[in-house]
Structure formats: structure tokens, C-alpha cells
Amino acid sequence: MTNAPERPDPPMAGDERTQLTGFLDFLRASVVWKCSGLTDEQARRKHLPSELTTIAGLLCHLTLVENYWFRVVLDGQPDEWADRLEIDRDAEFRVALELPMTQLLADYEAEVEKCRAVVAARGFEDTVLFKGDKPLTVRWVVTHMIEETARHLGHLDLLRELTDGLTGE
């Protein structure tokens, strides 16, 4: 895969919501680009001492954190991963090693769409109580997910270059 991806450019002007969600969507599209066009074997390849730091594992992790912060924390939906993570705090990284990359990508893209809807239905000042008593705003979650996605996108960028030489922002 050498073609530049089609990603939405973050707006250089606009209100806070438009700019922050624009940056998050740019990063999400970059994740899809860095994970696309790989075989299952390539996506599971271990380049680092940590056997769980794979392209597939990071993609599954990003799907989980999208779900957790937007749908569980902000929207109050049940945490479908809670039991598995209580047994194994790296469960999503292990699960990813058993799933086809096409499914992992489809799951990520579907989760992103659901999470966009959660944010669209709320104001940035809307507040929920996190872990029972800590006020948390939608703005904080969006900002946190920019940081989380960007950090792991950096990992994906390195792993992808080690896998097949693909580089690019």
C-alpha cells in the first residue's frame, strides 16, 4: 500500500467542537490507513519485545477505548469488556491475535461511527460522573481520545514501517 489515504483535513478555523472533532476524525482515518492492506500475519507480526504490541492488538485496543470512553462513560452503556479485562488486563490485545484483520478494521470503523453519534448528541460542557463522583465533560473525553489515538497512531506508524516499509504522516 503506497497511495496516500483520503483523510478529512482538520479545519484550520471554526469553533472548538469543529476543530477538536476534526482532529480526532483525522487521526481515526490515519489509524485506518496504517492498518489497511495488511495480511492477518503481517498485522500480528511481533517487532518488539512485547508480544502484544502488534498492529492488530493496537487496533483492537483503540476500538475498546473508543467504546469505553464514549459509549460506556459518556452514554452509560454496559461495559462489555469489563469481565474479560478483570481477568486479563491485556485481553483486547490477545483477542486481536485471533481475529481477521478485516473484522478488526470493520469493528473499529463501526465503533467510531457509534461514538461520533454519542458526541453529536451532547454539548462539550455536558458532564457525567466518572467512577461515581468525579465530574467529567464531553470536551475532556474528546481531548483525551485525541491524545490516546495520536499516541497509538505513532506506534502503528512505526510498526507499519517495520512490517512493509510504508511511511507517511
Side-chain angles (χ1 to χ4, degrees):
M1 175 179 209
T2 57
N3 295 336
E6 290 191 29
R7 297 175 291 178
D9 286 329
M12 296 179 76
D15 65 13
E16 179 183 38
R17 172 186 287 273
T18 301
Q19 290 188 311
L20 290 177
T21 57
F23 268 100
L24 183 54
D25 282 339
F26 174 82
L27 293 169
R28 288 164 164 165
S30 298
V31 166
V32 171
W33 174 42
K34 291 296 176 170
C35 294
S36 294
L38 295 170
T39 66
D40 293 340
E41 183 276 325
Q42 287 174 313
R44 295 176 187 146
R45 195 171 291 163
K46 296 163 181 70
H47 294 287
L48 303 172
S50 167
E51 66 181 32
L52 298 178
T53 306
T54 64
I55 291 172
L58 288 166
L59 182 58
C60 194
H61 173 72
L62 285 168
T63 303
L64 178 143
V65 295
E66 287 268 351
N67 174 274
Y68 177 75
W69 285 106
F70 291 113
R71 297 204 299 133
V72 175
V73 172
L74 289 182
D75 209 32
Q77 296 181 27
D79 187 348
E80 299 168 7
W81 280 89
D83 291 340
R84 286 185 275 188
L85 291 171
E86 191 168 315
I87 295 166
D88 177 4
R89 69 185 195 125
D90 294 320
E92 75 274 26
F93 291 94
R94 291 184 212 291
V95 165
L97 298 176
E98 304 300 323
L99 297 174
M101 197 59 183
T102 54
Q103 180 181 341
L104 291 169
L105 275 165
D107 290 349
Y108 178 73
E109 291 179 293
E111 190 61 47
V112 162
E113 285 303 314
K114 293 172 189 172
C115 294
R116 276 192 193 109
V118 169
V119 172
R122 288 161 178 75
F124 262 33
E125 294 297 323
D126 288 0
T127 303
V128 298
L129 292 179
F130 181 62
K131 298 197 176 188
D133 64 347
K134 298 174 186 143
L136 182 73
T137 64
V138 171
R139 174 186 297 101
W140 187 94
V141 173
V142 169
T143 304
H144 172 65
M145 285 305 300
I146 290 169
E147 177 273 328
E148 179 90 11
T149 305
R151 181 165 32 95
H152 292 308
L153 180 57
H155 301 140
L156 288 168
D157 191 40
L158 290 170
L159 292 173
R160 183 64 191 253
E161 184 174 354
L162 290 169
T163 297
D164 67 358
L166 178 73
T167 61
E169 169 187 314

